[in-house]
Amino acid sequence: MPRSTSSINQRILAEAGNPGAAGADAPAAPRRQLLGARRGTVLLAAGVGVLLLAVVTSLAVGAHQLSPAEVAASLWTEITGTGSTYADDVVASRVPRTVLGLVAGAALAVAGVMMQGLTRNPLADPGILGVNAGAAAAMVTGMAFFGLGATSANVWVALPGAVLTVLVVYALASGRRGATPVRLVLAGTVISAVLMSYIQAVALTRPDVFTMYRFWAVGSLSGRTMEQAYEVLPFFLVGLVAALAAGRSLNALALGEEAAASLGLHPQAAKIMGALAAALLCASATAAVGPIGFVGLAVPHIVRSFTGPDHRWLLLISAVVGPALLLLADVAGRLVAQPAELLTGVVTALLGAPLLILAVRRMRAVA
Amino acid sequence: MKRAPIAAFLAVPAVLLALSGCGADAGEGPASDSSETASENFPVTIESALGEAVIEQKPERVVTIGWGSADTAVALGTTPVGVEEVTWGNDEHGNYPWVTEAIEERGDELPATFTGGQDIDIDAIVALEPDLILAPNSGITQEDFDVLNELAPTVAYPEQAWNIKWDDQISLIGKALGEPDAAKDAVDGIGQSLADSAAEHPEFAGKTFAYVWGGGAPGSLVLYNEGDARVDILTALGMTVAPEVKDIPSSEGSFTSDLGLESAGKLNDVDVLFTWYNDEAEQQRTEEQRLFAQIPAVERGSVVRSLDRQVGMASSFLTPLSVPWVLDRFEPMIEEAVAKVD
């Protein structure tokens, strides 16, 4: 995205410690101005509101119709561990998918912001640095050669695969002049292609691996367990904190590496840290629910159309909008094809596309 | 880059799902003096969805592709010279054990195997010099068919890949081999042995069932419907498809439908739940889903689980060789599950 000198100056001012002054008293200002604290807080509150609504919907709405009172009663029996009617089981089965939706949605959206910021490529998403392919390749290797099942200890395998892949991509992209956005994207694409061929080769020659991989590679919130959420939670939290803390660095990097360096940042170190945080987040999400597309790509754009380019707000608000989108997509998947279910990953694409188009149009209108 | 492998992966389970049967009855055996009468039955033309096969005279070198055709050919008196290698539920010869047993009993040489699936080893088939290729229950493409039919008359599926009724398949193969009467006897024989089993097990009568597979997409079950051989075999044993399950329409072009586990309530009144698994890991991840575990049939243990792939496969087929082989093994499993219904 083109950035004018004035916006750079404003951003530097804002970085200097007065974020409130930039936009709070100028609601009609162009969007490339930094977001003020008040407006940012309002947007964040709105995002949290949507997220709460999505959580309630995810617990209450599905193929099996229940009244809010029944849902509440079922949640209570679940907490107290008394009784177990079919309705209780239905509601209980929605708890892990809601929790996983929160984790995976936030992870993918935040990772998407990180990827787009680090590569300065608006089309970047968690797939672009080879993260998904790396996680999947590690899973397949574990299944084929180390007797790994599809349910247990995913994250311990997926995660090193993802992180290692990001490092390899980064090393490949870093020539003498450092990793440029284009080189990063190229290296990521090449490595992903190589890994996907490897996955295909292993999975197709080993039918047993193939069935396990296929089950895992279906991006879906359903049919997973709380254990899968618990397993990825620590990694997700570390990644999330690291990512949210990277807002300032991303803002500085957006000015170009020299400007960033002049602000006292080590661009290479910031990039590697950022990429690792993103890898951690994507790998957590992918290990827990399989690859889910579009959330990482679309959510940052949707949010950016409201917040403008300040990465601190962008990260924070994406972390609440991402899960909201994912949960609503999951609910839609339960409803539209009854008695079958549409896979969450399929719905995110269907739901994300119009939202993305809307966001892009909005962006152009105010640019 | 995510989509391509997933699409490829979906193809194989589709193959696994589409099981159906073929065959003639081992017990009945082929008409002993069939070879003279058989010659009167040629030439014969068999139409299929992919084109027509013109068989000029009684075939001797038969090659089979897909499910159940080797069974029926053997049962009708022709041991194939080559069969598509079986990779699921196979024995050490790359074939189904009941087919191997029948061929060994007869003292014939075991057929050569060749790689099949989506990438059929055409060169291997050429080397077998076939004069008939049987693939009525298979997934061969138009392209495959055109090549194969040049080589030897090829019998493909009547309408859709992996989709033919078990008795139609037997009749079709009987026609291609010039043994229509033996084929009819085989179909009748299967019906008779199933009826005999039903008579021996009055407790099966009227028990409702559903046949599902949960190893595909997480949170979903594949539901086999009437017309699928594995459902047909159970109705022939006297059981009934549960009414709520019966009302779920099949997906386009298949004998199955998808059921999200949120709708598991449709399985509440099922007496016996039938299912199969690729392995224990698949069983574990299917059954640990709470909505699966709470299905009343699962809770009380009236479940028939085929973890033995050979039993799973044989109970998905209705062929003259598979039915007698599997009944001995399958009946006790059903007995045990039915005993837990009340």
Side-chain angles (χ1 to χ4, degrees):
Chain A
M1 264 172 298
R3 288 181 173 79
S4 70
T5 335
S6 70
S7 87
I8 290 178
N9 289 338
Q10 277 161 346
R11 191 173 294 124
I12 292 173
L13 279 177
E15 294 289 336
N18 190 10
D25 51 357
R31 230 153 265 283
R32 60 175 103 85
Q33 274 199 340
L34 283 185
L35 190 66
R38 188 182 301 166
R39 192 174 148 78
T41 313
V42 169
L43 282 176
L44 181 61
V48 171
V50 173
L51 179 58
L52 285 177
L53 197 73
V55 168
V56 172
T57 311
S58 174
L59 289 172
V61 181
H64 187 72
Q65 301 290 345
L66 293 166
S67 74
E70 285 173 301
V71 172
S74 293
L75 280 177
W76 182 247
T77 56
E78 178 66 13
I79 292 164
T80 55
T82 55
S84 186
T85 65
Y86 176 54
D88 294 343
D89 289 316
V90 170
V91 174
S93 80
R94 288 175 188 162
V95 173
R97 65 198 290 180
T98 304
V99 172
L100 283 165
L102 287 171
V103 171
L108 292 171
V110 170
V113 175
M114 299 292 292
M115 295 289 185
Q116 289 174 12
L118 289 170
T119 62
R120 277 183 277 157
N121 178 342
L123 289 181
D125 78 346
I128 205 126
L129 292 186
V131 177
N132 283 345
M139 288 290 297
V140 166
T141 307
M143 290 168 185
F145 306 113
F146 300 99
L148 175 79
T151 44
S152 60
N154 279 346
V155 71
W156 294 102
V157 181
L159 197 81
V163 171
L164 192 68
T165 310
V166 168
L167 292 178
V168 169
V169 166
Y170 201 84
L172 255 186
S174 309
R176 219 164 276 160
R177 285 160 298 154
T180 65
V182 173
R183 292 163 69 114
L184 268 178
V185 171
L186 277 177
T189 309
V190 169
I191 294 290
S192 289
V194 170
L195 290 175
M196 291 320 282
S197 320
Y198 162 77
I199 291 167
Q200 235 165 339
V202 175
L204 289 177
T205 48
R206 294 276 307 269
D208 48 331
V209 172
F210 165 90
T211 54
M212 269 195 282
Y213 175 76
R214 185 177 37 75
F215 187 87
W216 177 77
V218 174
S220 173
L221 297 185
S222 66
R224 320 276 182 183
T225 60
M226 280 306 278
E227 279 68 45
Q228 276 155 310
Y230 297 145
E231 247 173 36
V232 301
L233 207 58
F235 303 95
F236 163 73
L237 289 176
V238 170
L240 187 69
V241 169
L244 291 179
R248 289 171 72 99
S249 316
L250 287 179
N251 279 350
L253 281 172
L255 311 178
E257 298 202 5
E258 278 155 36
S262 74
L263 289 170
L265 188 80
H266 291 288
Q268 292 305 322
K271 278 187 180 177
I272 291 179
M273 287 307 292
L276 285 179
L280 211 55
L281 287 171
C282 297
S284 312
T286 309
V289 300
I292 287 188
F294 231 78
V295 176
L297 178 63
V299 170
H301 286 284
I302 295 166
V303 173
R304 197 180 288 116
S305 76
F306 290 98
T307 64
D310 186 339
H311 281 92
R312 291 167 304 176
W313 286 111
L314 195 51
L315 286 164
L316 204 57
I317 298 176
S318 293
V320 295
V321 172
L325 180 73
L326 191 55
L327 287 175
L328 293 175
D330 185 46
V331 172
R334 285 180 232 168
L335 295 178
V336 294
Q338 290 185 47
E341 261 189 43
L342 275 189
L343 298 168
T344 321
V346 174
V347 189
T348 54
L350 293 175
L351 205 68
L355 287 176
L356 180 60
I357 291 166
L358 214 68
V360 170
R361 288 187 62 88
R362 227 179 112 91
M363 211 156 61
R364 191 177 303 152
V366 298
Chain B
M1 69 203 144
K2 283 166 236 158
R3 245 167 244 161
I6 290 172
F9 297 148
L10 287 175
V12 164
V15 165
L16 287 177
L17 294 183
L19 304 192
S20 126
C22 85
D25 191 86
E28 304 288 311
S32 49
D33 58 346
S34 59
S35 41
E36 301 108 63
T37 53
S39 59
E40 296 160 18
N41 295 320
F42 293 98
V44 55
T45 302
I46 297 178
E47 302 273 353
S48 76
L50 303 179
E52 58 182 34
V54 183
I55 306 158
E56 300 288 353
Q57 56 190 10
K58 171 110 181 132
E60 280 165 4
R61 298 187 62 81
V62 175
V63 163
T64 65
I65 297 172
W67 286 326
S69 296
D71 299 39
T72 302
V74 170
L76 296 184
T78 306
T79 299
V81 291
V83 300
E84 175 181 341
E85 187 185 13
V86 177
T87 55
W88 201 94
N90 52 294
D91 60 16
E92 72 272 26
H93 306 293
N95 210 330
Y96 296 115
W98 50 93
V99 178
T100 301
E101 277 168 27
I103 294 171
E104 280 173 346
E105 250 170 55
R106 180 182 296 168
D108 280 357
E109 214 172 302
L110 290 173
T113 57
F114 55 88
T115 309
Q118 283 170 304
D119 201 10
I120 296 173
D121 188 348
I122 302 278
D123 291 344
I125 299 178
V126 171
L128 290 166
E129 298 175 353
D131 53 15
L132 175 67
I133 298 170
L134 292 173
N137 190 16
S138 75
I140 61 169
T141 61
Q142 186 71 53
E143 205 183 327
D144 295 332
F145 179 86
D146 294 341
V147 174
L148 293 172
N149 206 29
E150 278 289 299
L151 195 60
T154 301
V155 179
Y157 35 88
E159 280 160 25
Q160 268 152 340
W162 297 114
N163 207 331
I164 182 171
K165 292 273 290 175
W166 65 272
D167 44 352
D168 291 343
Q169 184 179 10
I170 296 174
S171 309
L172 210 57
I173 292 172
K175 199 173 162 193
L177 294 175
E179 305 283 357
D181 297 338
K184 193 176 173 306
D185 290 345
V187 171
D188 293 345
I190 291 174
Q192 190 57 50
S193 40
L194 290 171
D196 291 347
S197 288
E200 280 167 37
H201 295 280
E203 76 274 20
F204 292 177
K207 291 286 184 301
T208 61
F209 73 96
Y211 203 135
V212 300
W213 178 59
S220 285
L221 298 176
V222 169
L223 192 70
Y224 298 99
N225 298 330
E226 285 177 312
D228 186 283
R230 66 198 97 190
V231 171
D232 291 349
I233 199 172
L234 296 171
T235 49
L237 288 175
M239 305 182 82
T240 315
V241 180
E244 256 208 290
V245 170
K246 203 171 180 170
D247 294 340
I248 303 172
S250 291
S251 318
E252 180 81 30
S254 77
F255 287 130
T256 65
S257 45
D258 295 318
L259 184 70
L261 274 177
E262 280 246 336
S263 306
K266 288 191 180 296
L267 302 174
N268 278 354
D269 298 329
V270 169
D271 289 330
V272 183
L273 190 74
F274 287 80
T275 187
W276 64 272
Y277 296 108
N278 276 294
D279 48 41
E280 269 127 24
E282 187 174 291
Q283 176 184 3
Q284 189 201 332
R285 66 173 182 255
T286 302
E287 300 193 353
E288 74 185 4
Q289 300 175 91
R290 182 155 170 180
L291 282 175
F292 187 93
Q294 66 78 40
I295 295 168
V298 176
E299 278 196 323
R300 67 173 170 258
S302 53
V303 183
V304 176
R305 301 176 174 87
S306 297
L307 264 160
D308 180 328
R309 294 182 175 194
Q310 293 175 346
V311 172
M313 204 65 200
S315 59
S316 309
F317 268 28
L318 283 164
T319 82
L321 302 184
S322 74
V323 168
W325 189 89
V326 80
L327 278 179
D328 295 342
R329 295 161 173 84
F330 207 33
E331 276 172 337
M333 295 165 73
I334 306 174
E335 279 166 23
E336 199 182 321
V338 165
K340 292 184 186 153
V341 169
D342 298 314

